[in-house]
Amino acid sequence: MTGSLSDEEFQDLLGLLRRLSEHDVDQFLLWKTQTTYGKVYITITRGLLPGMSDESYHDLPPAGGQGPKKA
């Protein structure tokens, strides 16, 4: 499996993120993954990161909403 997510995969990811956020995030999750461009750090938290405002974040589209924009 390579390349960008399909629209269907993106919708699956959004649904899983919503479910994870609702049921499995107590305080925070801290993950890292290696990519061909280096490490990517993933933070899921119930609080804002220091120095960030709520306006800095994008709302996830509603279930069944539009996937990522294709270039």
Side-chain angles (χ1 to χ4, degrees):
M1 195 178 305
T2 61
S4 296
L5 296 178
S6 68
D7 287 344
E8 182 179 347
E9 290 170 324
F10 186 73
Q11 289 304 315
D12 290 345
L13 174 63
L14 292 180
L16 291 169
L17 282 171
R18 283 186 196 92
R19 202 164 102 204
L20 177 78
S21 297
E22 184 68 31
H23 300 287
D24 296 309
V25 177
D26 180 17
Q27 293 180 354
F28 57 87
L29 297 171
L30 302 174
W31 296 329
K32 62 183 172 183
T33 186
Q34 185 65 45
T35 73
T36 55
Y37 302 103
K39 288 182 183 175
V40 171
Y41 297 90
I42 303 164
T43 302
I44 301 176
T45 178
R46 292 210 172 269
L48 291 170
L49 294 175
M52 300 295 288
S53 70
D54 186 70
E55 292 78 27
S56 301
Y57 292 82
H58 299 278
D59 288 316
L60 291 181
Q66 295 297 314
K69 302 287 185 227
K70 299 288 184 186

